C-alpha cells in the first residue's frame, strides 16, 4: 500500500479556504490528515514515504472537461493511454474525452466500451456522449442511457447541432435527467471555409477568415434554448469578447450557464501568427488582441469559470501543412497549468487560488463529481508544482502523440513535479522526464 507524507509544501486548496504551509498524509488512496505540521514520529504516521515539498505548491489535481483522445478510430493521433499519460504529466487527474471518435461515442454500449478501454489508465476518464447518432445532426441519442452507463455530459463537439428544433429536443431530454450539455458554438453556414480569425492577419496571409459572428450567434442561440429547456449549459472554448458578454447576461438572469476558455485563447492573439502553418490552426481560431484581453478580464471577473484545454492531437504530417489543409486543433494537456500560471497569475489577472478554482474546483462542479478538494477523507488526486523556476516548453518531450503546439520554445513558470491519482504517483518529473 502506498503511504506518503508530503512535507513542507504550500497547499492551495480553495474549496476548503486553505492557502498556506501544510503537511499532508496520504494512505489507502485518500487524504488522511492535513495539518500545519505532521511529524514522522506522530502516532498516525507509520511506514510512510516522505516527500520533500519545501518551496513547492500542492494543489488538487486538475479536471479537464474538454479533451480529444482519438480512440477508437484515430489511434495514430492519440490513444486513451497516451492521452492519459499526457494528462498525468500536466497535473490533470481527471479528463473528459469528447465523443468525436470513429465510431462516435453515441450509445450506452459505446460509453461502456470507452470505460472498459480506459481501465488501467493513470488518470480518471469520464466520457462525454454525442447529442445525435454519429454526430450527424438527425436523430437524438439515448441521453438517459448514456448517463446510466457513465457519461458525465453530452456534446456534439467539433460542430454545433445546427437544427435548432432538434437541439432544443435534446436539451429537454438532457434537462430531464440532469445531464449538462457542452456546446461547441459554430454556425456552419457562416464559417464559409475560414481557417483562421478574420482580420488584418488573415488578409496579410491571404487566408479565408472566421468572423466572431460564427461563434457569437450560436452562443446566443444556445443560451436562449437552454433557458427554454431549463437545462444546464456549458459553453466550450469561448474565444470572443461577445461570448463573454453573453455569458455575463445569462448569469444576470440566473441561468445555469457556465463557460470555459482554453489556454491558447488567453495566451496568444492572431497578430502573433508568424506564418501560414498548421500549428496555428484550431477551432475556434486565435482571435484579436481585443478578444484575448476580454477573455482574461472575463476570467478575472469570474464570468468565465472554467479553463479546459481542448487537447486536440494530430500527427506531425497533418499539422505540417498550410492552414488551408491542416486539421483544426492543438495539444494542451502538458502545458495548461504553466500557461495559466504564467499568463494569468504572473500577469496579475488571477491569484493562484483562483486559477486552481478554474482548473479543478469549478470544472468538478460542472459535472457534479467529488473532486477539487483535499479535505481529509477525500480521494488523493493532487499535484505538486514548482512555480519559482522558469523552463522552456519542449514539445519533443511531450508524452502525447501530438506535438502540435504553437508554444514550443516558450518560456513559462509552473512545472508539474508530481501527480497523484487515487493516492498513487502517476507522474514524477524526477524519474519520468528524460
Ligand atoms: O480545434 C479543434 N479540434 N476544435 C474542435 O472543435 C475539434 C477538435 C478536434 O477534434 O480536433
Ligand atoms: Zn469544439
Ligand atoms: Zn474539442
Amino acid at each position: 500500500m502506498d503511504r506518503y507524507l508530503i512535507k513542507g509544501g504550500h497547499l492551495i486548496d480553495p474549496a476548503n479556504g486553505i492557502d498556506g504551509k501544510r503537511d499532508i498524509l496520504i494512505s489507502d488512496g485518500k487524504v488522511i490528515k492535513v495539518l500545519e505540521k505532521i511529524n514522522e514520529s506522530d502516532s498516525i504516521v507509520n511506514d510512510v514515504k516522505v516527500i520533500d515539498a519545501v518551496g513547492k505548491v500542492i494543489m488538487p489535481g486538475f479536471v479537464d472537461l474538454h479533451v480529444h483522445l482519438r480512440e477508437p478510430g484515430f489511434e495514430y493521433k492519440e490513444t486513451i493511454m497516451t492521452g492519459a499519460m499526457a494528462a498525468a504529466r500536466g497535473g490533470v487527474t481527471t479528463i473528459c474525452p469528447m465523443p468525436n471518435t470513429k465510431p462516435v461515442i453515441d450509445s450506452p454500449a459505446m460509453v461502456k466500451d470507452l470505460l472498459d478501454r480506459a481501465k488501467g489508465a493513470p488518470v480518471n476518464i469520464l466520457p462525454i456522449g454525442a447529442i445525435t447518432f454519429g454526430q450527424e445532426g438527425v436523430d437524438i441519442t439515448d441521453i438517459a442511457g448514456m448517463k446510466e452507463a457513465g457519461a458525465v455530459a453530452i456534446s456534439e463537439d467539433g460542430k454545433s447541432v445546427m437544427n435548432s428544433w432538434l437541439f432544443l429536443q435534446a436539451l429537454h431530454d438532457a434537462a430531464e435527467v440532469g445531464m449538462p450539455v457542452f456546446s461547441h458554438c459554430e454556425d456552419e453556414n457562416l464559417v464559409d471555409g475560414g481557417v483562421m480569425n478574420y482580420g488584418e492577419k488573415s488578409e496579410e496571409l491571404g487566408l479565408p477568415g472566421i468572423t466572431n459572428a460564427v461563434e457569437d450567434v450560436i452562443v446566443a442561440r444556445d443560451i436562449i434554448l437552454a433557458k427554454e429547456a431549463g437545462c444546464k449549459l456549458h459553453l466550450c472554448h469561448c474565444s470572443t469578447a461577445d461570448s463573454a458578454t453573453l455569458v455575463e447576461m445569462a448569469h444576470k438572469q440566473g441561468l445555469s450557464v457556465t463557460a470555459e476558455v482554453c489556454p491558447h485563447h488567453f495566451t496568444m492573439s492572431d497578430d502573433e501568427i508568424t506564418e501560414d502553418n498548421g500549428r496555428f490552426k484550431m477551432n475556434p481560431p486565435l482571435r484579436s488582441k481585443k478578444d484575448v484581453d476580454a477573455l482574461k478580464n472575463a476570467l478575472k471577473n469570474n464570468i468565465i469559470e472554467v479553463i479546459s484545454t481542448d487537447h486536440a492531437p494530430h500527427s506531425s504530417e497533418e499539422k505540417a501543412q498550410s492552414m488551408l489543409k491542416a486539421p483544426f486543433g492543438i495539444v494542451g494537456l502538458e502545458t495548461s497549468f504553466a500557461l495559466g500560471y504564467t499568463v494569468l497569475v504572473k500577469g496579475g489577472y488571477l491569484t493562484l487560488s483562483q486559477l486552481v478554482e478554474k482548473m479543478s474546483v469549478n470544472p468538478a462542479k460542472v459535472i457534479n463529481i467529488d473532486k477539487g478538494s483535499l479535505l481529509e477523507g477525500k480521494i488523493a488526486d493532487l499535484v505538486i508544482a514548482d512555480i519559482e523556476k522558469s523552463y522552456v516548453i519542449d514539445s519533443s518531450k511531450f508524452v502525447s502523440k501530438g506535438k502540435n503546439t504553437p508554444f514550443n520554445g516558450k518560456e513559462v513558470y509552473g512545472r508539474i513535479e508530481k501527480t497523484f491519482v487515487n493516492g498513487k504517483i502517476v507522474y514524477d518529473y524526477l524519474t519520468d522526464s528524460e
Side-chain angles (χ1 to χ4, degrees), residues 333-371:
L333 280 166
E334 294 171 73
T335 51
S336 55
F337 175 70
L339 291 172
Y341 184 74
T342 306
V343 177
L344 301 174
V345 180
K346 282 186 102 59
Y349 290 88
L350 299 179
T351 63
L352 179 53
S353 189
Q354 288 167 330
L355 179 65
V356 173
E357 281 180 342
K358 289 177 200 293
M359 292 188 69
S360 180
V361 183
N362 298 344
K365 279 187 200 152
V366 170
I367 52 169
N368 197 21
I369 55 168
D370 190 14
K371 300 282 181 195

Side-chain angles (χ1 to χ4, degrees), residues 341-414:
Y341 184 74
T342 306
V343 177
L344 301 174
V345 180
K346 282 186 102 59
Y349 290 88
L350 299 179
T351 63
L352 179 53
S353 189
Q354 288 167 330
L355 179 65
V356 173
E357 281 180 342
K358 289 177 200 293
M359 292 188 69
S360 180
V361 183
N362 298 344
K365 279 187 200 152
V366 170
I367 52 169
N368 197 21
I369 55 168
D370 190 14
K371 300 282 181 195
S373 161
L374 295 176
L375 197 65
E376 292 169 4
K378 297 287 182 189
I379 298 287
D381 287 357
L382 58 95
V383 47
I384 303 177
D386 177 354
I387 54 173
E388 300 296 328
K389 287 189 294 288
S390 73
Y391 71 98
V392 173
I393 293 173
D394 178 355
S395 59
S396 72
K397 298 248 168 74
F398 287 173
V399 295
S400 167
K401 284 194 185 179
K403 316 293 175 195
N404 45 305
T405 173
F407 301 116
N408 190 40
K410 184 176 172 68
E411 186 183 8
V412 288
Y413 289 80

Side-chain angles (χ1 to χ4, degrees), residues 127-146:
I128 299 173
I131 299 176
T132 68
F133 286 108
Q135 294 190 305
E136 283 168 1
V138 179
D139 294 305
I140 298 167
T141 53
D142 175 7
I143 298 168
M146 290 194 295

Side-chain angles (χ1 to χ4, degrees), residues 204-271:
E204 181 191 316
L205 294 173
L207 293 169
I210 301 170
T211 61
N212 285 25
V214 169
E215 175 170 324
D216 299 339
V217 291
I218 302 292
V219 169
R221 180 198 76 164
D222 287 5
I223 290 171
I224 290 162
L225 295 178
K227 178 180 178 177
E228 180 161 321
C231 165
K232 201 167 164 182
L233 178 71
H234 178 72
L235 298 161
C236 295
H237 44 49
C238 290
S239 73
T240 69
D242 284 334
S243 279
T245 306
L246 290 161
V247 173
E248 188 177 16
M249 280 169 58
H251 286 174
K252 283 197 179 130
Q253 292 193 19
L255 304 179
S256 199
V257 173
T258 52
E260 72 187 26
V261 64
C262 304
H264 44 278
H265 290 129
F266 62 68
T267 301
M268 198 172 181
S269 58
D270 65 346
D271 49 36

